[in-house]
Amino acid sequence: YEYMKLIGYPVPPNAGPGNTGKRLRDIRGQLIKKDGSYEKLTGVAKGKWTKLLSHNRHDCTGMREVSLRAMGRLGSFRP
């Protein structure tokens, strides 16, 4: 998250740090109660799943941007 902020990558507040663990615990608890069925999850749990997927997407695309910027600067690197 901090690396993404440094390059100006826009991370939505709901995809920032501090939310993922609770969402995972909540979803996992419901899946255990609902025999592992996504269809049986409550609307709230499905919403948490959607936000979790969004968080992961921003993690991947943001770190891709960080990596591309870092690689772009390697050409000018001289040990």
Side-chain angles (χ1 to χ4, degrees), residues 9 11-12 15 32 34 37 39-40 44 47 55 77:
Y9 180 83
V11 178
I32 290 168
K34 308 287 184 175
S37 172
E39 290 77 24
K40 293 179 183 177
V44 171
H55 175 100
F77 176 74

Side-chain angles (χ1 to χ4, degrees), residues 1 4 7-8 13 18 21 24 29-30 34-35 50 53-55 57 59 64-65 67 69 71 73 76:
Y1 176 73
M4 292 178 226
I7 66 164
L24 279 171
Q30 277 223 6
K34 308 287 184 175
D35 299 321
T50 300
L53 293 177
S54 174
H55 175 100
R57 182 174 57 84
D59 269 354
R64 177 183 182 273
E65 290 300 315
S67 298
R69 295 239 186 136
M71 288 187 310
R73 293 177 185 230
S76 62

Side-chain angles (χ1 to χ4, degrees):
Y1 176 73
E2 294 300 320
Y3 294 116
M4 292 178 226
K5 282 177 29 180
L6 284 173
I7 66 164
Y9 180 83
V11 178
N14 71 345
N19 299 314
T20 306
K22 177 153 177 30
R23 286 181 184 140
L24 279 171
R25 284 189 299 278
D26 292 349
I27 294 165
R28 190 168 126 176
Q30 277 223 6
L31 284 170
I32 290 168
K33 290 178 190 174
K34 308 287 184 175
D35 299 321
S37 172
Y38 176 82
E39 290 77 24
K40 293 179 183 177
L41 293 178
T42 65
V44 171
K46 288 179 180 179
K48 288 180 182 185
W49 180 250
T50 300
K51 287 177 182 154
L52 189 64
L53 293 177
S54 174
H55 175 100
N56 287 342
R57 182 174 57 84
H58 282 288
D59 269 354
C60 292
T61 57
M63 285 310 296
R64 177 183 182 273
E65 290 300 315
V66 169
S67 298
L68 289 173
R69 295 239 186 136
M71 288 187 310
R73 293 177 185 230
L74 285 177
S76 62
F77 176 74
R78 300 281 184 250

